[in-house]
Amino acid sequence: MRIIVIGATGTIGRAVVDALSPRHDVVAASRSSNPSVDIADAASIRALFASVGHVDAVVCAAGAARFAPLAELTDDDFAFSIANKLMGQVNVIRQALAHVNDGGSITVTSGVLGQQPAPGSGAISLVNAALEGFARAAALEAPRGIRVNVVSPPWIAETLAKLGRPSDGALTAAACAKSYVQSVEGSETGVVYRP
Ligand SMILES: NC(=O)c1ccc[n+]([C@@H]2O[C@H](COP(=O)([O-])OP(=O)(O)OC[C@H]3O[C@@H](n4cnc5c(N)ncnc54)[C@H](OP(=O)(O)O)[C@@H]3O)[C@@H](O)[C@H]2O)c1
């Protein structure tokens, strides 16, 4: 399969690329790659698909949202989070539907805070839960047998380690990547994987 992975240099995205590339032709994309893409800019997503052409799968493991106590989350924090992690990935799905081959797949990324909020996660919980709702609905209308799924990662061991927090027993990025592989190589649609 020919697969675009957006966020390919990140903690999760790199593990997804490592898991898929032995069997597939992977196009790695991010803001700093060639081809480059900024999911917060719909024109940039359009340009990516125009340059890469048709693919069998699109994976997005990118998207930022702001973490802060509710009383401190500003209008700008909400607008940023919605424009980036939510609408960025919604627009990846919308545009990918025209560029993924028959029977292909689109996989985007939410996160555990969508289902299990924590103090400070208001904006992140909002966009994660909304993305899951949108993806389930998009799966119902996806044409030509195209499948649409979401992976909702828990806190990843490498990320916790980077933050200086205990990471013993946490899921590694490589283990999390298995859910993306399942979404790409399997047959399910409208599913939220919770590795
Ligand atoms: N790691 C965790 O513990 C965890 C847990 C739950 C959910 N998640 C979610 O999983 C996703 C990936 O997390 P991560 O920890 O792997 O992130 P990360 O290590 O910060 O990597 C982010 C990746 O996305 C790219 N990127 C960032 N902004 C982008 C944009 N606007 N357009 C295109 N590419 C962009 C980055 O490359 P460039 O800088 O070159 O663009 C990089 O390749 C995020 O949505 C995150 O919220 C992560």
Side-chain angles (χ1 to χ4, degrees):
M1 283 189 237
R2 189 154 186 260
I3 304 170
I4 298 178
V5 177
I6 300 173
T9 56
T11 306
I12 294 173
R14 198 173 329 118
V16 173
V17 171
D18 289 347
L20 291 171
S21 48
R23 292 181 302 287
H24 305 288
D25 172 14
V26 174
V27 178
S30 74
R31 289 169 303 183
S32 56
S33 66
N34 182 17
S36 70
V37 65
D38 180 353
I39 63 166
D41 175 1
S44 167
I45 303 171
R46 261 194 300 281
L48 174 72
F49 284 119
S51 75
V52 173
H54 282 251
V55 293
D56 301 295
V58 174
V59 171
C60 183
R66 300 249 166 91
F67 190 89
L70 188 52
E72 293 171 23
L73 279 171
T74 63
D75 290 353
D76 178 64
D77 290 329
F78 279 102
F80 172 87
S81 305
I82 290 167
N84 198 305
K85 186 164 183 178
L86 176 57
M87 286 312 298
Q89 295 194 93
V90 165
N91 287 331
V92 167
I93 293 173
R94 291 171 66 216
Q95 295 196 33
L97 286 171
H99 290 92
V100 169
N101 293 328
D102 294 7
S105 69
I106 305 164
T107 309
V108 295
T109 302
S110 60
V112 63
L113 293 170
Q115 295 290 311
Q116 296 170 36
S121 76
I124 298 180
S125 297
L126 167 74
V127 299
N128 284 347
L131 182 66
E132 292 177 9
F134 173 78
R136 285 194 184 100
L140 293 176
E141 293 188 48
R144 301 181 288 104
I146 295 172
R147 300 177 297 104
V148 182
N149 295 312
V150 182
V151 177
S152 175
W155 282 103
I156 297 296
E158 291 89 334
T159 302
L160 290 169
K162 260 185 232 158
L163 295 172
R165 291 170 51 183
S167 58
D168 286 357
L171 197 76
T172 62
C176 181
K178 290 180 183 167
S179 292
Y180 292 85
V181 173
Q182 190 179 344
S183 176
V184 169
E185 295 182 348
S187 56
E188 294 164 310
T189 191
V191 170
V192 179
Y193 298 93
R194 304 192 189 282

